[in-house]
Amino acid sequence: MAHTDHLPEAVGHVNGEAALSFRSQAFLAYWKDVRGSSPVPAAENVRPADFVSLLPYVRYMRWRGPDAVVFTVWGTALTDWMNVDLTGRNVFDLLPDSEQAIETERLKNLHRVPCGFVQQRRVTDISGMTRLFEFLTLPVAAGEDGEPRMIGPGSFVDSVPGERVELADDPKTVIHSFRYLDLGYGVPA
C-alpha cells in the first residue's frame, strides 16, 4: 500500500499535459495503488489512514440521487484556506447555473469510462484577490449503500503556505481550466 507521508517536491506532468500539484501527484499514486488491477478502487479499500498527510486537503463526495453530489469529507486545510466547511453541501449548489449541467456530465463520466479529471477554479476572496485552486477528482466504486463516490485533493496552484483565504458570502467558484485524465481506459470524447 502506498503511503503519502513523504510528498514529492517536484511537480510532474500527466500525459504530456501541464503539471499537477505535488498533492495531486501523491494522491493519484495512492489511488492507482489502491485500485490495483480493478478499473476503480473499491470504497472499502480507500482508507484515510493510508493518506494521513493528504487528508486535510481531500474532498470525498457521493452521488445522492441524480441531481446531488454531496461532500462527505471536506479537509481541514480546505476549510482553513477557504474559511468555509463544505461537508454536507451539494457540489452543484456551489457552481454557477451555467456550469451545473456540464459538471454533472463530467462527474458521471468518471464512472462511465472510468477516468479522472483535473480542473482549476478561480477562487476570489473578500478582498477581491483571485487565486487558482486545483481539484483532482477520481472515481471510487459504490459502497454498500450503492452510491458511487469521487475523491481527490484540492490545493492552490500558486503557493500560499499558511495563508488563509476568506471567501465572500457566496462560495461559488468559476472554472478556469479542465482536462480529463486517462487512467488506462481512455477519456470521454
Side-chain angles (χ1 to χ4, degrees), residues 26-140:
F27 199 86
L28 180 59
Y30 164 76
W31 183 91
K32 286 179 175 180
D33 186 53
V34 173
R35 106 175 145 170
S37 61
S38 299
V40 299
E44 62 270 11
N45 291 341
V46 176
R47 294 183 290 268
D50 292 339
F51 54 91
V52 170
S53 62
L54 290 173
L55 192 55
Y57 310 95
V58 168
R59 308 136 30 251
Y60 201 22
M61 303 157 279
R62 297 181 182 191
W63 281 98
R64 296 266 165 90
D67 300 321
V69 171
V70 175
F71 291 108
T72 56
V73 171
W74 182 261
T76 56
L78 300 176
T79 297
D80 288 346
W81 281 342
M82 299 176 85
N83 197 29
V84 63
D85 182 357
L86 297 178
T87 304
R89 296 280 306 269
N90 182 355
V91 170
F92 303 119
D93 292 344
L94 306 172
L95 302 175
D97 291 343
S98 62
E99 291 184 29
Q100 291 179 13
I102 193 157
E103 193 69 12
T104 299
E105 282 307 303
R106 288 172 173 166
L107 289 167
K108 287 180 179 178
N109 282 336
L110 293 177
H111 292 90
R112 284 182 192 142
V113 173
C115 62
F117 65 70
V118 62
Q119 60 182 295
Q120 292 179 350
R121 292 192 159 275
R122 289 191 303 270
V123 178
T124 305
D125 67 22
I126 59 175
S127 71
M129 179 180 270
T130 301
R131 294 191 175 98
L132 288 179
F133 203 81
E134 178 182 276
F135 292 103
L136 172 66
T137 308
L138 301 164
V140 175

Side-chain angles (χ1 to χ4, degrees), residues 120-182:
Q120 292 179 350
R121 292 192 159 275
R122 289 191 303 270
V123 178
T124 305
D125 67 22
I126 59 175
S127 71
M129 179 180 270
T130 301
R131 294 191 175 98
L132 288 179
F133 203 81
E134 178 182 276
F135 292 103
L136 172 66
T137 308
L138 301 164
V140 175
E144 291 180 10
D145 57 13
E147 296 174 340
R149 292 149 165 74
M150 290 81 48
I151 195 167
S155 60
F156 284 100
V157 174
D158 53 346
S159 182
V160 288
E163 197 169 316
R164 184 183 189 110
V165 173
E166 296 185 16
L167 289 180
D169 290 338
D170 182 358
K172 291 186 178 170
T173 62
V174 178
I175 191 81
H176 174 74
S177 66
F178 174 91
R179 73 178 185 271
Y180 283 109
L181 298 178
D182 186 342

